[in-house]
């Protein structure tokens, strides 16, 4: 598979979305809405759930399944309120000492007049700053697209995992190609150069683990992933200085 | 000084102000706002602000000369420069061009300086270096500066100029947003002051990280400040955008900047803020 084949796979509307992971890996999910400032952004889902016997806060970017739902969820492009809701729920998790699990799947933060008026840049910046200092374990799993700052705003975590066909990039290959080659159809070439596949992220140290997509969407697949996640949260639960270790994890890039 | 914004520039190049052939041995510039022709010495005398209020983009070194006490700047981390972590096609040549055009090794200059006698750690981004795009070395210098300031209990003053992430460094560029934010957070948690000065343009990944993380956010009049590019917003929404969309005035009105300060008053304002937070000359 070429890098661009992976981009296409990552974007496929037939892939499981955050809701599917929540429904299949966790029990007793109670969705919590809103940023307590302005509105509820449905591009991000968050709430309380059990992973096995472990209470956790689970948050994820949701693209939706059918056209009507996808529109309601802005095709998984969060507005500032989505990021602020996510941060509110992370702070709540910290208060009650439970870990946070984030599912990331976005082509990027929402691009619009309202999003700019309500501080899209500020909302992302605040998440980056605050996630770095959370005193609870955090794991982010990229399940599809990891589009730039809009994805990173839910991925300043202790561990970052990527599905085998997920991608993570600073710019879309189309955007990169239209700037570099003045031609968006050169996207496959740009995709190679950007090194955006899960394997690339692993070799760059941006991701800790690549999740095999064998049997993706089956009970076995979710069961295996839930088990690995449980083990990871257990291990992180024994760490004494999570913010310090997390800072060093990100500090290492470009040292 | 009131800024009369007669029209938005057509493109980035125009916005920078065209320079004309030298006239009587002196380079002249055309103001992109009012179209006046201005000799370099006149601009120098007026901190590169046109009488119409337009703030020209200026290099990092010029800004340091203008806004810090004479001879007080001491550069830090000057040897850190971009590598090509992804072996991205054509990037080495781009870097070389940027280095020639700017005379800098990276898109940010870092160090310490005194402002009205008070010591601060400062970073100043450079529009001539790939329009201040954020590479791994940019993030590294800013992070080192915050760590230096945290250790020594110094305030940080940072002037931002950036087109955003540097795509030729891919994920290594993206990760700088998290890294610098972490360094800002640690500095902040020590009770230290961070002032950002947003200058034209501050966009993309820099807006979505350290530019918006200041305790006090100052903006130069008429600067473009935003996350998504204006053209991208236009294409996505297919709506016509407000004329002042993504300007300093727009973000102040929406609650995302504290003060708009004309360049002529900038040094006094920063000194005032430093003094208020315990700065001593
Ligand atoms: Zn003018």
């Amino acid at each position: 598979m070429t890098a661009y084949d992976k981009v296409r796979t990552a974007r496929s509307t037939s892939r499981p979305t955050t809701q599917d992971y929540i429904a299949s890996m966790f029990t007793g999910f109670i969705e919590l809405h809103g940023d307590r400032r302005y509105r509820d952004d449905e591009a991000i889902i968050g709430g309380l759930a059990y992973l096995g016997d472990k209470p956790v806060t689970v948050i994820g970017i949701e693209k939706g399944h059918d056209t009507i739902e996808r529109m309601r969820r802005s095709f998984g492009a969060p507005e500032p309120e989505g990021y602020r809701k996510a941060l509110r729920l992370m702070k709540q998790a910290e208060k009650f000492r439970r870990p946070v699990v984030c599912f990331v799947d976005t082509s990027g933060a929402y691009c619009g007049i309202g999003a700019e008026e309500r501080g899209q840049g500020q909302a992302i910046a605040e998440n980056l700053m605050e996630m770095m200092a959370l005193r609870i374990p955090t794991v982010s799993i990229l399940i599809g697209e990891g589009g730039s700052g809009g994805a990173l705003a839910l991925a300043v975590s202790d561990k970052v995992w990527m599905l085998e066909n997920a991608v993570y990039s600073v710019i879309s290959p189309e955007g990169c190609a239209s700037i570099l080659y003045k031609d968006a159809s050169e996207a496959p070439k740009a995709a190679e150069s950007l090194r955006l596949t899960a394997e690339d992220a692993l070799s760059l140290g941006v991701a800790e683990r690549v999740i095999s997509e064998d049997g993706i969407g089956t009970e076995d697949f979710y069961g295996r992933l839930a088990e690995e996640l449980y083990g990871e949260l257990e291990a992180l639960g024994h760490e004494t200085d999570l913010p310090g270790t997390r800072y060093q994890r990100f500090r290492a890039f470009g040292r | 000084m009131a800024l009369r914004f007669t029209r938005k520039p057509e493109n980035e190049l125009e916005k920078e102000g065209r320079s004309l052939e030298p006239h009587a041995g002196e380079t002249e510039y055309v103001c992109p706002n009012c179209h006046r022709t201005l000799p370099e010495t006149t601009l120098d005398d007026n901190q590169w602000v046109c009488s119409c209020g337009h703030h020209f983009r200026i290099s990092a070194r010029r800004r340091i000369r203008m806004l810090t006490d004479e001879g007080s700047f001491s550069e830090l981390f000057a040897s850190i420069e971009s590598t090509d972590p992804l072996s991205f096609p054509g990037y080495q040549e781009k870097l070389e061009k940027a280095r020639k055009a700017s005379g800098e090794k990276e898109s940010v200059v870092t160090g310490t300086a005194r402002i009205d006698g008070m010591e601060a750690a400062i970073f100043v981004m450079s529009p001539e270096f790939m329009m201040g795009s954020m590479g791994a070395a940019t993030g590294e210098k800013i992070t080192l500066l915050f760590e230096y300031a945290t250790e020594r209990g110094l305030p940080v003053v940072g002037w931002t100029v950036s087109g955003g992430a540097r795509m030729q460094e891919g994920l290594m560029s993206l990760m700088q947003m998290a890294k610098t934010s972490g360094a800002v957070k640690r500095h902040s948690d020590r009770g230290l002051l961070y002032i950002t000065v947003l200058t034209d343009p501050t966009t993309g990944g820099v807006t979505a990280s350290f530019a918006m993380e200041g305790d006090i956010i100052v903006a130069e009049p008429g600067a473009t400040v935003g996350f998504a590019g204006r053209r991208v917003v236009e294409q996505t929404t297919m709506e016509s955008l407000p004329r002042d969309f993504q300007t300093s005035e727009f973000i102040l009105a929406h609650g995302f900047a504290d003060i708009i300060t004309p360049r002529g008053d900038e040094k006094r304002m920063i000194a005032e803020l430093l003094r208020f937070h315990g700065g001593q000359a």
Side-chain angles (χ1 to χ4, degrees), chain B residues 14-256:
Chain B
E14 189 193 350
K15 196 163 187 186
E16 272 197 86
R18 280 172 294 146
S19 68
L20 303 172
E21 287 302 304
H23 174 76
E26 191 174 15
T27 309
E28 294 185 318
Y29 292 80
V30 176
C31 171
N33 186 45
C34 71
H35 306 285
R36 256 189 211 94
T37 302
L38 300 152
E40 193 164 5
T41 45
T42 308
L43 283 168
D44 265 335
D45 291 344
N46 293 286
Q47 301 188 294
W48 289 71
V49 179
C50 177
S51 56
C52 76
H54 175 75
H55 285 53
F56 279 78
R57 289 173 182 165
I58 52 173
S59 75
R61 303 282 164 181
R62 192 188 296 277
R63 200 178 273 285
I64 290 168
R65 273 200 306 278
M66 275 174 15
L67 297 171
T68 63
D69 297 353
E70 201 182 336
S72 72
F73 179 65
S74 158
E75 188 164 1
L76 289 166
F77 321 120
S79 64
I80 293 170
E81 58 183 331
S82 312
T83 57
D84 181 8
L86 308 185
S87 304
F88 198 98
Y91 182 37
Q92 295 283 10
E93 294 78 59
K94 272 223 171 70
L95 276 176
E96 242 154 76
K97 259 196 214 157
R99 284 178 190 139
K100 270 208 188 113
S102 64
E104 303 292 348
K105 282 188 175 157
E106 240 319 313
S107 64
V108 67
V109 177
T110 47
T112 59
R114 281 189 305 279
I115 297 169
D116 210 4
M118 290 167 287
E119 202 187 1
I122 66 168
F123 70 84
V124 187
M125 300 184 81
S126 164
E128 291 100 335
F129 196 104
M130 299 178 81
M131 197 42 79
S133 83
M134 179 147 72
T138 316
E140 181 65 16
K141 286 178 83 170
I142 290 172
T143 300
L144 283 168
L145 186 79
F146 272 95
E147 290 176 342
Y148 179 93
T150 305
E151 267 169 42
R152 287 162 183 79
L154 285 175
V156 174
V157 184
W159 282 265
T160 59
V161 181
S162 186
R166 191 174 302 166
M167 63 185 174
Q168 294 88 345
E169 295 193 20
L171 284 170
M172 284 300 111
S173 167
L174 185 67
M175 291 302 125
Q176 303 311 311
M177 291 170 65
K179 179 168 109 180
T180 53
S181 297
V184 173
K185 176 71 177 162
R186 295 183 141 212
H187 181 257
S188 178
D189 285 350
R190 282 279 311 277
L192 299 167
L193 175 69
Y194 171 33
I195 299 169
T196 47
V197 185
L198 312 177
T199 79
D200 187 64
T202 296
T203 61
V206 166
T207 297
S209 61
F210 56 84
M212 281 291 151
E213 292 168 348
D215 297 296
I216 295 174
I217 300 178
V218 179
E220 286 194 345
T224 293
V225 181
F227 175 62
R230 188 185 169 90
R231 239 161 305 170
V232 184
V233 178
E234 224 153 24
Q235 281 163 10
T236 315
T237 61
M238 313 236 258
E239 282 177 68
S240 67
L241 305 175
R243 207 173 48 151
D244 69 342
F245 187 63
Q246 296 184 322
T247 58
S248 297
E249 294 72 16
F250 174 92
I251 66 152
L252 182 106
H254 287 95
F256 294 96

